[in-house]
Amino acid sequence: MSATLEQAPATAAEDAVNMTDGFHLVIDALKHNDIDTIFGLVGIPITDLARLAQAEGMRFIGFRHEQHAGNAAAIAGYMTQKPGICLTVSAPGFLNGLTALANATTNCFPMILISGSSEREIVDLQQGDYEEMDQLNAAKPYAKAAYRINKAEDIGIGIARAIRAAVSGRPGGVYLDLPAQLLSQTMDAERGRKSLVRVVDPVPRQIPAPEAVQRALDLIQGAKRPLILLGKGAAYAQADAAIRAFVEKTGIPYLPMSMAKGLLPDNHAQSASAARSYVLAEADVVVLIGARLNWLLSHGKGKTWGGPKQFVQIDIAPTEIDSNVAIAAPVIGDIGSCVSALLAGIDANFGKPGIEWTRAIAERKDKNLTKMAATLAQDPSPMNYHSALRAIRDVLKTRPDINVVNEGANALDFTRSIVDMYQPRKRFDSGTWGIMGIGMGYSIGAAVVSGLPVVAIEGDSAFGFSGMEVETICRYQLPVVTVIFNNNGVYKGCDPNLNPRLKNDVAVTAFVKGARYDKMMEAFGGTGYHVTTPAQMTKALTEAIAAGKPALINAVIDEAAGAESGRLINLNPKKGALKK
Ligand code: ADP
Ligand code: TZD
């Protein structure tokens, strides 16, 4: 049979025009859902995926270690309610990213870890492929959901599924496995376009039941000493106006958890932060809004909580209720809908808390604030956490739009209580796990997403976990100013080595003395500062923020300042064998 001209088979070039492949479909599917940034680290088999993303107009922010790319993606998800994307190579790259995925899931941050993987048939028979690993099963226990896409025509639905899993309900980390052979699979371009899925209503409202709302209102109304506790779920929900209205209309004192600081400005008259121990012990009804009763809240019981209490708990996850103590009034739904429903039930007859309660709190606050002011006013030499943080606090007060990243032990605890926040979702820290290593990843993610400056306040040990990413900060010329509280060690720098016979070994907590972290920054073209007094700190921080360029301030503080494990001393096991 001879073919007519019209029926002639397409040339290879014509074929290519009408065909698409897995690489293109992954990028198209992400873009189709308004995802415009990928945080990652390239290598086999995803280098071309990253190149193509850039060519197609997405930002690809390349890191030096996948954990930090994952942390950047996680914080981007927290800030935007859109899943942050982290892209890694197989096995070791995937495992490096997995810590960040697990941390995101633990903190309820939406992100998607996308990793290339080796040939299934070799992995499944364990025949020893390059970077062989059963990544899907490894990810499952640490992710909210884990999926693998095997066919090019499933890329659209697979990515839609990953996005919805990450952001709907309680947000979390999702793992998406992309075998190398998927990326090179080809299919008809038109069919490919049609296979893409745009997720409709990815974060659906979840309206609470009216009887649950009424039960909560009755309990709050009957309280003598009510307290509101705002967690990072409340900050994440972006229901800022409704939450503020609820606090102000009810007149109930509130406590923000660390990442909820700034949801209402920390200098708000109803903030009970400066009387934290008092209100936790004395309150009779506590309204939890997007905060879990985990270790950060002493599991809702024990000495911290004083006498018996009743709880209202607003959360999107029904299984969070009764997790640690009995919850008298659960309100299940999204925080925006729940708080609005409560607000609707508060009318002119709603009784505000009695004067004895609010006056007692005000007295405690005054007393504690006066004491803190006296400590902050001291100018010891060498500088300590308090005098350095006084300088930082005063500079940051002039720039409430700045993002603050914070990790360490003492560096975390003191910064949280001394540096006030004035706007929502501006403070990012070690969170639910108390993890070290989020510093530079969160800083990069926050700078990229917000386009605003970041000040990272870091213990010297904490900084070490992600310090190499200062190169990334310099490469992308991000406005990140890192302040390192340099006390020569983990917690402190002056512990003794307990075995004098091991002369060349220092204490288990000690680092090189007098390290010049500022020179690390200079090595990559950023600005380094070496400061030893609060006045120098003020000058350096002001200048570095104004410059809007990468900078690092090596702040030398007293190596004996601070306590082991910061405020968590009681979580250390009791000394047994070591006790003489
Ligand atoms: P914190 O550490 O600040 O106390 P947690 O991370 O322990 O806060 O708690 C956050 C809680 O918020 C989680 O239980 C989560 O299910 C919930 N949450 C997150 N987003 C929403 C939302 N949009 N609506 C309702 N609850 C939410
Ligand atoms: N590893 C990881 C991943 N997370 C951790 N939390 C720890 C180890 C243990 N750890 C803490 O809990 S705080 C901390 C470590 C190593 C560092 C404290 O020292 P620092 O801060 O220099 O960062 P301060 O200001 O000197 O206390």
Side-chain angles (χ1 to χ4, degrees):
M1 258 199 326
S2 70
T4 64
L5 205 57
E6 290 82 351
Q7 291 166 323
T11 63
E14 281 167 338
D15 255 353
V17 168
N18 297 324
M19 299 298 281
T20 187
D21 61 15
F23 289 106
H24 285 85
L25 285 166
V26 170
I27 302 305
D28 291 348
L30 292 171
K31 284 176 66 182
H32 199 52
N33 285 285
D34 303 326
I35 289 172
D36 54 14
T37 305
I38 295 176
F39 304 94
L41 204 166
V42 298
I44 296 169
I46 50 96
T47 311
D48 277 342
L49 192 62
R51 280 201 185 100
L52 187 68
Q54 199 173 50
E56 298 282 322
M58 293 182 84
R59 280 200 90 184
F60 180 84
I61 309 290
F63 284 70
R64 304 298 296 260
H65 187 290
E66 292 87 350
Q67 187 177 133
H68 313 307
N71 285 330
I75 214 63
Y78 172 72
M79 293 169 79
T80 62
Q81 290 191 340
K82 276 201 303 194
I85 307 292
C86 174
L87 182 64
T88 80
V89 301
S90 27
F94 155 79
L95 281 176
N96 286 345
L98 190 57
T99 303
L101 187 77
N103 184 57
T105 305
T106 303
N107 281 284
C108 314
F109 299 161
M111 73 169 277
I112 304 174
L113 173 67
I114 301 180
S115 297
S117 61
S118 330
E119 306 306 332
R120 289 292 346 138
E121 49 275 33
I122 302 180
V123 175
D124 291 347
L125 267 176
Q126 297 178 29
Q127 292 173 315
D129 205 355
Y130 168 72
E131 295 191 347
E132 173 185 299
M133 178 174 235
D134 183 2
Q135 296 165 199
L136 186 69
N137 281 312
K140 271 181 188 160
Y142 308 107
K144 185 180 169 196
Y147 307 111
R148 174 184 297 129
I149 306 175
N150 287 303
K151 290 199 229 147
E153 65 237 48
D154 289 336
I155 288 174
I157 203 73
I159 287 193
R161 207 156 156 58
I163 292 172
R164 193 177 284 284
V167 292
S168 62
R170 170 183 278 179
V174 173
Y175 175 60
L176 191 59
D177 195 78
L178 302 185
Q181 57 200 8
L182 169 84
L183 296 170
S184 53
Q185 271 178 39
T186 57
M187 71 185 281
D188 175 73
E190 180 56 19
R191 226 164 40 87
R193 240 188 320 277
K194 287 191 177 143
S195 72
L196 300 181
V197 176
R198 188 173 163 88
V199 181
V200 177
D201 195 12
V203 188
R205 292 178 66 202
Q206 290 183 226
I207 317 285
E211 58 274 20
V213 173
Q214 194 54 53
R215 192 186 296 121
L217 283 169
D218 291 346
L219 191 59
I220 297 169
Q221 187 63 104
K224 286 206 163 54
R225 296 179 305 282
L227 174 70
I228 293 170
L229 243 158
L230 301 172
K232 60 180 167 312
Y236 173 80
Q238 300 191 14
D240 311 339
I243 289 171
R244 186 170 185 149
F246 178 68
V247 170
E248 291 180 345
K249 266 193 161 176
T250 58
I252 299 175
Y254 75 93
L255 275 183
M257 298 300 287
S258 71
M259 281 180 58
K261 275 166 69 74
L263 181 44
L264 279 84
D266 274 338
N267 56 356
H268 193 283
Q270 284 171 253
S271 167
S273 289
R276 190 173 195 274
S277 323
Y278 176 74
V279 291
L280 286 178
E282 296 298 320
D284 61 350
V285 171
V286 179
V287 184
L288 299 162
I289 308 185
R292 286 170 285 185
L293 286 174
N294 54 18
W295 67 279
L296 286 161
L297 284 169
S298 310
H299 304 281
K301 52 196 172 194
K303 234 170 62 197
T304 309
W305 289 90
K309 9 219 118 215
Q310 290 189 290
F311 290 94
V312 174
Q313 184 162 25
I314 302 179
D315 207 290
I316 203 149
T319 49
E320 190 54 45
I321 307 305
D322 302 332
S323 60
N324 285 269
V325 294
I327 301 296
V331 184
I332 303 303
D334 74 273
I335 284 168
S337 300
C338 293
V339 173
S340 301
L342 288 172
L343 261 176
I346 295 167
D347 54 21
N349 300 325
F350 194 90
K352 292 204 169 185
I355 185 80
E356 317 82 70
W357 178 228
T358 50
R359 194 189 292 142
I361 295 172
E363 278 167 13
R364 288 310 186 290
K365 270 174 71 171
D366 280 352
K367 204 173 99 202
N368 293 340
L369 288 171
T370 308
K371 214 164 104 191
M372 180 57 110
T375 311
L376 290 175
Q378 289 168 8
D379 242 328
S381 179
M383 175 164 78
N384 63 11
Y385 288 100
H386 290 89
S387 58
L389 279 165
R390 179 190 70 219
I392 294 173
R393 175 199 67 181
D394 292 346
V395 174
L396 291 183
K397 201 171 183 172
T398 65
R399 285 294 304 269
D401 58 324
I402 280 181
N403 299 292
V404 174
V405 170
N406 187 201
E407 61 176 339
N410 298 282
L412 177 75
D413 292 338
F414 288 127
T415 303
R416 183 177 54 235
S417 59
I418 294 169
V419 174
D420 284 340
M421 303 302 297
Y422 302 93
Q423 293 180 10
R425 296 171 296 282
K426 294 286 185 187
R427 189 189 146 85
F428 316 110
D429 65 25
S430 300
T432 304
W433 258 354
I435 192 174
M436 298 299 114
I438 48 84
M440 298 302 103
Y442 280 7
S443 296
I444 293 167
V448 167
V449 164
S450 69
L452 289 166
V454 177
V455 172
I457 304 173
E458 304 268 312
D460 50 350
S461 164
F463 171 75
F465 289 75
S466 65
M468 192 64 208
E469 300 298 343
V470 295
E471 189 276 330
T472 309
I473 291 170
C474 289
R475 190 168 6 114
Y476 291 95
Q477 282 296 295
L478 296 170
V480 175
V481 183
T482 301
V483 179
I484 297 181
F485 279 97
N486 189 351
N487 60 0
N488 301 333
V490 180
Y491 313 132
K492 294 182 188 200
C494 54
D495 287 350
N497 161 3
L498 290 183
N499 186 344
R501 274 170 304 165
L502 294 170
K503 284 196 207 68
N504 293 328
D505 288 358
V506 295
V508 296
T509 51
F511 292 156
V512 162
K513 288 201 188 295
R516 292 293 299 270
Y517 293 99
D518 48 317
K519 293 196 184 290
M520 260 178 90
M521 186 48 114
E522 287 171 0
F524 301 107
T527 306
Y529 297 91
H530 180 69
V531 309
T532 56
T533 65
Q536 289 173 353
M537 172 69 89
T538 304
K539 187 167 177 294
L541 187 58
T542 309
E543 194 179 295
I545 290 172
K549 295 239 162 64
L552 190 149
I553 300 173
N554 181 49
V556 180
I557 59 164
D558 184 355
E559 64 174 3
E564 177 155 329
S565 306
R567 289 212 188 131
L568 303 180
I569 301 165
N570 59 331
L571 292 188
N572 282 319
K574 300 237 173 334
K575 280 195 174 73
L578 274 180
K579 209 156 93 185
K580 293 257 158 66

